Amino acid sequence: MRRMVAENRLHPADLILPAFVREGISEPVAISAMPGVQQHTLETLRKAAVEAVEAGVAGIMLFGVPADEKKDAAGTAGTDPDGILQVALREVRGEVGDDLVIMSDLCLDEYTDHGHCGVLDADGRVDNDATLERYAEMAQVQADAGAHVVGTSGMMDGQVGVVRDALDTIGKEDVSILAYAVKYSSAFYGPFREAVGSALRGDRKTYQQDPANLKESMRELALDLEEGADMVMVKPAGPYLDVLAKVAEAVDVPVAAYQISGEYAMIEAAAERGWIDRDKAIMESLVGIKRAGANMILTYWATEVARWVGRER
Ligand code: PBG
């Protein structure tokens, strides 16, 4: 009866799998702060994409990890048509076609040697408008490589409008924008920095949002919608369920939530110590995000959970 009267339930189609692909490795590399998650080779990435399709997962969000020597101040590898993310997009699209919504992270931090999400000015500060030009180019190479959706996660002002124009200019009107509208400057991104081998020193407080603020997030949200966001995201998810609920109530576009690396790591770590029931904690964390109003959830457990809940499909 509990099952019958449940107000929310997870479905495989709610889930999106974030995945890392690293250049120049012949075997996948484990990410120590995210047990069970790895930096994929192109081959294991294709396999993971096929497994996601088989489990009924809706989409995949790809992050490229270039070889160390390819990182530079401008994040050139991010706009190289033969950069690792673009190669991965082509391969995954070739493998699964339209069976999975293929999304690409549109941000420079994976490609810059200083680890910031944008290019820097002479004083070492992130240069918003110079970064927008880089994002426009990134959007075009990612769309050309086969992305169905680009995920603007860099948090520069004006990024959604610039990316929309850049896509339309090359005839990619059908490529959608998932705007990281509400993205807090969070300590819970810690394990992700290992996952993408980020060199970042310092923080992203000048462009990501203050965890104390809610009005600021609603303002960011309104701007992204005005600029043409097709879908919006709240990130992280767990510590920001109030924000997610408010966003879901405020907008009439699909709302995504990103259960990020630190949220994943906490549950895995506590479970490893036998302090919590892993599977139940995972399900509770996800149904909580759904209850708060997410239509789509990015989670590193996507394929595993899709298999669990898929039995009820
Ligand atoms: C930016 C980006 C980050 C994450 C996704 N996209 C890192 C950041 O903003 O510092 C974090 C995802 C996670 O922690 O799981 N490219």
Side-chain angles (χ1 to χ4, degrees):
M1 193 176 296
R2 281 288 175 205
R3 211 171 127 250
M4 183 175 75
V5 301
E7 295 172 37
N8 289 284
R9 56 173 59 86
L10 286 165
H11 187 278
D14 298 330
L15 304 172
I16 297 167
L17 176 71
F20 306 102
V21 56
R22 179 163 163 191
E23 186 174 28
I25 52 171
S26 51
E27 293 295 324
V29 176
I31 300 163
S32 64
M34 301 176 73
V37 180
Q38 53 190 22
Q39 295 174 326
H40 284 291
T41 66
L42 288 163
E43 192 191 335
T44 64
L45 177 69
R46 283 199 310 270
K47 260 190 223 147
V50 170
E51 284 170 15
V53 171
E54 284 165 1
V57 167
I60 190 165
M61 171 67 80
L62 299 180
F63 295 89
V65 185
D68 279 343
E69 68 273 13
K70 299 265 179 75
K71 294 189 181 191
D72 58 23
T76 314
T79 46
D80 179 351
D82 296 318
I84 181 64
L85 178 57
Q86 285 67 253
V87 173
L89 283 165
R90 279 195 293 272
E91 292 214 0
V92 171
R93 184 72 187 261
E95 184 78 37
V96 300
D98 293 335
D99 291 344
L100 209 52
V101 178
I102 300 167
M103 308 183 172
S104 51
D105 186 56
L106 202 166
C107 187
L108 279 172
D109 67 321
E110 294 97 321
Y111 310 99
T112 53
D113 53 10
H114 45 71
H116 273 293
C117 294
V119 293
L120 308 181
D121 67 15
D123 299 323
R125 291 181 308 191
V126 174
D127 185 333
N128 190 93
D129 293 5
T131 301
L132 293 182
E133 289 173 31
R134 302 285 300 124
Y135 286 179
E137 218 184 308
M138 280 187 101
Q140 293 177 335
V141 294
Q142 292 178 358
D144 274 335
H148 295 110
V149 175
V150 295
T152 50
S153 71
M155 299 312 283
M156 297 303 130
D157 293 336
Q159 62 185 7
V160 173
V162 164
V163 164
R164 183 71 271 158
D165 283 348
L167 291 170
D168 292 351
T169 304
I170 60 161
K172 296 284 182 186
E173 291 90 354
D174 57 349
V175 171
S176 305
I177 300 177
L178 168 56
Y180 287 52
V182 180
K183 180 171 174 183
Y184 286 93
S185 180
S186 172
F188 295 102
Y189 300 138
F192 176 90
R193 306 270 157 89
E194 180 196 341
V196 299
S198 170
L200 182 72
R201 268 175 221 174
D203 57 54
R204 305 197 198 289
K205 284 185 192 163
T206 61
Y207 44 103
Q208 296 181 348
Q209 286 152 244
D210 182 346
N213 293 355
L214 179 57
K215 282 185 192 155
E216 181 185 23
S217 294
M218 300 313 282
R219 196 160 63 235
E220 292 270 1
L221 177 72
L223 287 169
D224 281 359
L225 288 171
E226 224 172 272
E227 291 174 27
D230 299 289
M231 307 168 239
V232 294
M233 167 119 81
V234 175
K235 177 182 176 185
Y240 299 92
L241 293 183
D242 59 326
V243 182
L244 177 58
K246 192 142 187 233
V247 167
E249 213 177 273
V251 304
D252 54 10
V253 297
V255 175
Y258 197 145
Q259 183 181 54
I260 62 162
S261 56
E263 297 176 73
Y264 175 93
M266 285 193 294
I267 290 180
E268 289 288 351
E272 207 175 278
R273 294 186 168 203
W275 290 351
I276 52 170
D277 180 321
R278 176 184 180 274
D279 298 0
K280 284 187 181 144
I282 291 171
M283 284 303 286
E284 188 175 331
S285 70
L286 290 169
V287 88
I289 294 168
K290 177 126 191 210
R291 189 191 63 242
N295 305 113
M296 299 112 78
I297 305 172
L298 286 89
T299 174
Y300 298 96
W301 290 301
T303 302
E304 184 178 1
V305 170
R307 286 186 188 127
W308 297 344
V309 301
R311 279 174 311 209
E312 300 196 20
R313 262 195 287 178

